[in-house]
Amino acid sequence: MSVLVAEMAAKALQMNIPLSVQLDLTYRCNERCIHCYLDHHDHGEMTTAEIKDLLDQMADAGVFYLTISGGEILMRRDFFEILEYARLRTFCIKLKTNGILIRKKEADRIKALGVESVQISIYSHVPEVHDAITKLPGSLAQSIEAIRRLRAHGIHVIMANVLMVQNVHDYAGVRALAAELGAQFIMDPTITPMMDGDRSILNLNVDEAALREVFRNESLVGGNIEEFCAPPLSPGEDEMDQLPCSAGHTACYVSPYGDVYPCVQFPLPSGNVRRMKFVDIWRDSPQLNEVRSIKLRDMPTCSKCTHGGTCTRCPGLAYLEGNMRGPSYQDCEKSYARTGIPSENLKARKASSQPYHSLRLVQIQGLQPAAQALPFSVTESSVVNA
Amino acid sequence: MNNKRYVARSTAIAARVLGDETMVMSATNSTLFTLDEVATVIWESADGATPLEEIVANKICTQYDITPEVALKDAEGLVEQLAEHGLMLLSDKPIAQSAAATGGTK
């Protein structure tokens, strides 16, 4: 982050201005990604007029960075009408799309409307792997074609690679593809629960060994690995009052139905723009004010953890794990993979865990007639189907 | 010699007033700039129809302790810098909104 951007963010925080908003236009999508945290039905999306009114409200409230996402944004027939209106209200516009519906005409229009960046998810450079994740045959080829069209216009394209079990070995290939296409490469190593709290997709997360490999890859980390993976110092007094992230402080998320949340990854309903003004929700929502009150010093375990000052703890993930002030074990595990030092939460979880029974020694000999005793001994590590 | 100079904000920008400052970002290269309080007054008054000299006389000299000559010189330096980065359009004739939207004539 540049000094100027940091200064503006600090000023926005001081003035309680929502500098950055992600607005999802729709949850409908032409892909069916296996790790997606959304359902894809239309439960009553905001109309074009409602979205334009919201854009007016957000501009008046001071929103500068506007990320337009979904679902697939081009599934909305009024997408370019909305984009044009957002341009008139002078937002810094970032788009997130899979690019499937971006053909020449759409690329020309996006260029003309001066968006800051277009982010497209590419899961693998191998078509079979990417298409198996999106469940849309031919999707990799179509997304790459969209990237080429956008790059031909000089548009800043970000190629986002979400790491999961299915594509764990492919990030180097995606990175090389990004370089070839002139796109920026970013990686997200975390699969998050669905917005409705369903955690079944978490089994797509890569294991600790794969995470460790990522954190020790100098070309991905882009700095000093020794320093990045070094055991952290315990948090100091200043860090005790640090904010966990921008969610609810200078940023928030608005769903296609007008629901306001602290962040797309923090599904705490905080108001609805169909019933209240955006700025009133931003300023007065008890939920957002609760999020704003979270400080490291108030978290009983994290405040005593050596990772406290450097952890990427996400309050939204903690909320999805049951308590926005409690642990986000996914972040604890990332800190562990990075440094090799377990967090206080991981230690507490291990200490309080119940004995693991599935491998227990089961006395089966007594069930057998003495003359037919098993010809081998059962050890504690044997799996016994009693 | 006609010294009238018209100024208009480009539409190929992102901009937002933050307190007494303005953030302006070029949509062509994502470079971020901030304008201070006085520059913000000129930025907000740059409607393409009001000459820069008039903006300086009516919005700057009436609010700040500065001579018209010095204020105009400063303002010209500012708008030229902004124009170099594609954030503002300059013309010796009034600038229509459609010209600002398409890049206009400098």
Side-chain angles (χ1 to χ4, degrees):
Chain A
M1 188 189 287
S2 77
V3 173
L4 193 53
V5 173
E7 280 176 9
M8 299 317 285
K11 189 165 185 180
L13 179 66
Q14 188 189 11
M15 296 175 68
N16 193 22
I17 287 175
L19 198 60
S20 180
V21 170
Q22 176 169 325
L23 169 64
D24 279 2
L25 298 181
T26 180
Y27 287 160
R28 287 175 289 131
C29 193
N30 45 2
E31 292 183 334
R32 284 292 179 273
C33 296
I34 56 174
H35 62 288
C36 186
Y37 52 86
L38 302 170
D39 81 62
H40 298 296
H41 301 292
D42 178 357
H43 300 289
E45 293 169 4
M46 284 187 281
T47 63
T48 314
E50 284 177 312
I51 289 175
K52 285 182 177 178
D53 179 53
L54 176 60
L55 292 174
D56 283 339
Q57 292 184 49
M58 292 198 302
D60 293 345
V63 175
F64 182 66
Y65 299 105
L66 175 68
T67 300
I68 300 178
S69 184
E72 171 46 47
I73 51 180
L74 281 129
M75 296 290 279
R76 290 251 339 192
R77 290 179 188 277
D78 56 358
F79 168 70
F80 280 107
E81 187 178 346
I82 292 166
L83 185 58
E84 194 168 323
Y85 198 78
R87 161 55 50 233
L88 285 175
R89 293 310 315 248
T90 63
F91 292 101
C92 172
I93 304 165
K94 301 162 189 255
L95 304 180
K96 289 184 179 178
T97 169
N98 57 37
I100 303 276
L101 297 172
I102 297 178
R103 299 195 173 83
K104 184 179 181 307
K105 190 177 80 175
E106 287 77 18
D108 291 347
R109 207 71 194 97
I110 289 169
K111 172 62 181 176
L113 289 168
V115 301
E116 196 272 336
S117 62
V118 180
Q119 181 173 314
I120 296 180
S121 293
I122 299 292
Y123 303 108
S124 172
H125 58 299
V126 180
E128 292 76 16
V129 177
H130 177 93
D131 295 357
I133 290 171
T134 63
K135 295 190 189 172
L136 182 67
S139 56
L140 177 64
Q142 292 178 77
S143 292
I144 288 175
E145 197 49 45
I147 293 170
R148 287 189 201 283
R149 287 189 184 107
L150 294 165
R151 288 299 302 140
H153 282 298
I155 295 168
H156 176 201
V157 176
I158 300 167
M159 203 185 264
N161 182 225
V162 181
L163 197 65
M164 62 190 99
V165 172
Q166 284 75 1
N167 64 355
V168 65
H169 301 298
D170 294 353
Y171 57 83
V174 177
R175 194 155 185 252
L177 180 62
E180 180 198 322
L181 296 171
Q184 181 189 348
F185 171 83
I186 61 169
M187 178 202 272
D188 183 352
T190 311
I191 302 291
T192 57
M194 292 185 72
M195 281 194 84
D196 64 5
D198 182 346
R199 303 176 67 78
S200 60
I201 56 175
L202 294 186
N203 61 12
L204 301 174
N205 269 305
V206 297
D207 63 15
E208 192 241 323
L211 266 184
R212 202 167 47 229
E213 191 182 312
V214 166
F215 288 140
R216 280 163 182 71
N217 185 321
E218 197 163 353
S219 66
L220 288 177
V221 171
N224 185 329
I225 294 288
E226 295 293 317
E227 198 178 304
F228 183 67
C229 296
L233 298 171
S234 292
E237 195 54 28
D238 287 352
E239 286 155 327
M240 287 293 176
D241 288 322
Q242 263 182 9
L243 306 177
C245 64
S246 61
H249 295 277
T250 56
C252 70
Y253 164 73
V254 184
S255 82
Y257 315 120
D259 294 311
V260 178
Y261 300 97
C263 168
V264 67
Q265 208 165 274
F266 197 156
L268 172 68
S270 304
N272 188 292
V273 295
R274 283 171 157 161
R275 292 190 288 275
M276 287 176 73
K277 290 289 179 194
F278 172 78
V279 74
D280 292 335
I281 296 170
W282 175 258
R283 286 181 186 154
D284 303 328
S285 156
Q287 292 82 8
L288 290 179
N289 283 327
E290 177 70 12
V291 171
R292 288 171 188 140
S293 71
I294 300 173
K295 299 276 192 311
L296 179 60
R297 71 168 68 250
D298 302 327
M299 289 181 266
T301 311
C302 293
S303 63
K304 295 180 182 66
C305 181
T306 187
H307 292 290
T310 55
C311 180
T312 56
R313 180 186 175 278
C314 168
L317 287 178
Y319 172 76
L320 283 164
E321 289 185 19
N323 178 3
M324 69 173 92
R325 292 169 190 278
S328 160
Y329 286 111
Q330 279 186 278
D331 289 301
C332 290
E333 282 157 7
K334 277 195 278 187
S335 292
Y336 177 57
R338 184 167 52 83
T339 64
I341 297 171
S343 69
E344 290 302 318
N345 284 311
L346 288 180
K347 285 193 263 184
R349 184 169 69 174
K350 190 174 180 186
S352 66
S353 60
Q354 297 299 307
Y356 190 41
H357 290 303
S358 62
L359 298 183
R360 71 189 185 279
L361 175 65
V362 176
Q363 177 59 47
I364 58 173
Q365 198 164 351
L367 301 176
Q368 305 291 333
Q372 296 173 23
L374 295 174
F376 55 85
S377 62
V378 178
T379 67
E380 283 187 51
S381 61
S382 299
V383 176
V384 178
N385 296 312
Chain B
M1 182 180 164
N2 179 11
N3 286 328
K4 280 193 176 173
R5 203 172 200 189
Y6 294 87
V7 290
R9 297 180 296 274
S10 166
T11 55
I13 48 102
R16 198 66 72 226
V17 175
L18 193 60
D20 54 7
E21 292 182 319
T22 300
M23 287 184 288
V24 185
M25 183 185 274
S26 160
T28 53
N29 60 15
S30 299
T31 311
L32 184 66
F33 302 86
T34 59
L35 306 178
D36 66 12
E37 186 182 334
V38 183
T40 293
V41 173
I42 294 172
W43 175 261
E44 294 204 302
S45 307
D47 57 6
T50 314
L52 182 62
E53 195 175 4
E54 204 175 306
I55 294 170
V56 168
N58 296 340
K59 301 278 179 71
I60 306 294
C61 295
T62 54
Q63 299 293 318
Y64 301 91
D65 182 19
I66 190 165
T67 62
E69 294 76 22
V70 173
L72 185 59
K73 194 178 170 195
D74 276 358
E76 285 181 335
L78 171 78
V79 297
E80 278 164 17
Q81 271 189 299
L82 291 169
E84 276 172 28
H85 291 284
L87 305 174
M88 192 169 265
L89 308 176
L90 311 182
S91 176
D92 54 4
K93 288 179 273 191
I95 303 165
Q97 284 300 312
S98 58
T102 56
T105 49
K106 288 185 184 172

